[in-house]
Each structure stands twice: as C-alpha cells, then as structure tokens.
Amino acid sequence: GILRHLVLRSSSKTNEIQLTLILFKYDQRTINIAKELMNIKNIVSVYVSINSEVDAIENFGNETFKVAGNDTIEESLGKYSFKLLPTAFFQWNKKQTEKLYGHIVDVAKLTGTENVVDAYCGVGTIGIWLSKHSKEVRGIDINKEGIKKRKITTQINIIKQPTIS
C-alpha cells in the first residue's frame, strides 16, 4: 500500500496534535484525503513524508512537507517552551526528561563560566536547559529545520547566551 506509518505528536501544554503520514511513494489522492484529517478534534497540522526505502530504520523519508494546518505545535519542558516540527527530535517523557536535565546540571557542576556544546541538539532542549548555568551554548545538528526552530525557541525563552549552529 501507499501508507506505511502514522506518526502522531501531541502536546500536553496545548492538547494540539500534529499528524504525519509516512507514505511509500508520493500519491496525490492520499494527500488530498490527508487534508481532511484536519477536521478531527485537536489536529492542528497534517504532514506527509515520503519514505520509499523498504528496509529504512527511520520513519521519516528525505521529503517531508505540510499539507494542512500550522507549521508547529508547542510543547514545554520546565519553564521553557518549544515549537516542534514533525521531524524534530524531542523527548516525550517530560517528567523523566526534566529529572534527567536537572541531574545533568547537578553532575556537570556548571559555574556559569563554561562553554557548552549541545551536540545533536534537535530543538535545543538540553542546551536551553543548561543556558542559565553556562557562559555560552552552541547547538550543533544536521537537521536544518531543527536549528531554525532552536533559534526561535531561544528567542521565545529569552535566552541571553548566544546559540550558534
């Protein structure tokens, strides 16, 4: 068939749902039907990703595009807010993530003078969490859309340290 997977992201902050259909190949009929999914309660965006690799480990293919709705959904960790695209990495067990990030702060014993590298940063949750404890944070990732959203997230959360991709 055309449909391989459905990927749902839901926000505990806003109750928004972001739906991505992972298709084996581009199919306009399926894409037209996908637009109608916006009529389901709380779905605020519908995306399609084409992944024709039968043995692919990743769900998302090289081509992911919005067919209807908002670009992002909003989620939070602690006091920080994040705008999420469907392909951006984000830890979804918020309670454990907040504990883990708190533990990182404790173990790292940051004094506010350190330069931190947030490798494979995604939308930058760890770097933003550590920003108030460090001199500078540099986020590095190959996902260009994630880096764009990290820069927006930095502005939303009024992070004074520069974040550079």
Side-chain angles (χ1 to χ4, degrees):
I2 300 296
L3 180 64
R4 293 182 66 163
H5 310 283
L6 291 176
V7 178
L8 293 166
R9 255 196 178 157
S10 63
S11 168
S12 62
K13 180 177 183 175
T14 63
N15 293 321
E16 297 171 325
I17 297 172
Q18 184 178 70
L19 173 64
T20 305
L21 284 76
I22 311 297
L23 305 181
F24 181 69
K25 65 179 183 178
Y26 186 91
D27 180 66
Q28 189 60 51
R29 180 174 171 259
T30 304
I31 292 168
N32 291 339
I33 293 168
K35 292 176 186 177
E36 297 301 316
L37 296 170
M38 287 291 296
N39 294 320
I40 298 173
K41 183 181 178 181
N42 294 340
I43 293 182
V44 298
S45 63
V46 176
Y47 279 80
V48 166
S49 185
I50 311 299
N51 187 346
S52 59
E53 293 182 41
V54 176
D55 297 327
I57 295 171
E58 296 287 330
N59 279 326
F60 291 93
N62 292 330
E63 182 183 1
T64 301
F65 54 92
K66 181 178 71 171
V67 296
N70 301 336
D71 290 344
T72 62
I73 61 172
E74 187 173 347
E75 187 55 275
S76 63
L77 280 175
K79 66 179 184 173
Y80 302 110
S81 293
F82 299 89
K83 299 280 187 177
L84 303 175
L85 289 164
T87 56
F89 177 78
F90 190 83
Q91 297 284 352
W92 281 101
N93 186 332
K94 289 177 37 171
K95 186 175 180 179
Q96 288 303 317
T97 300
E98 291 172 3
K99 285 182 182 180
L100 173 65
Y101 291 2
H103 188 65
I104 291 170
V105 170
D106 293 342
V107 170
K109 296 182 177 146
L110 298 173
T111 64
T113 61
E114 296 84 4
N115 294 323
V116 174
V117 174
D118 186 1
Y120 311 101
C121 64
V123 296
T125 57
I126 294 173
I128 288 170
W129 193 277
L130 297 178
S131 65
K132 69 179 179 177
H133 304 282
S134 58
K135 177 181 168 190
E136 180 179 47
V137 175
R138 292 183 181 253
I140 302 169
D141 203 306
I142 62 170
N143 184 324
K144 292 177 184 175
E145 289 300 316
I147 291 294
K148 286 180 192 175
K149 292 304 173 199
R150 180 192 168 104
K151 290 177 182 178
I152 292 168
T153 298
T154 300
Q155 294 166 352
I156 290 169
N157 292 294
I158 312 172
I159 306 299
K160 65 180 178 181
Q161 292 82 4
T163 51
I164 302 169
S165 58

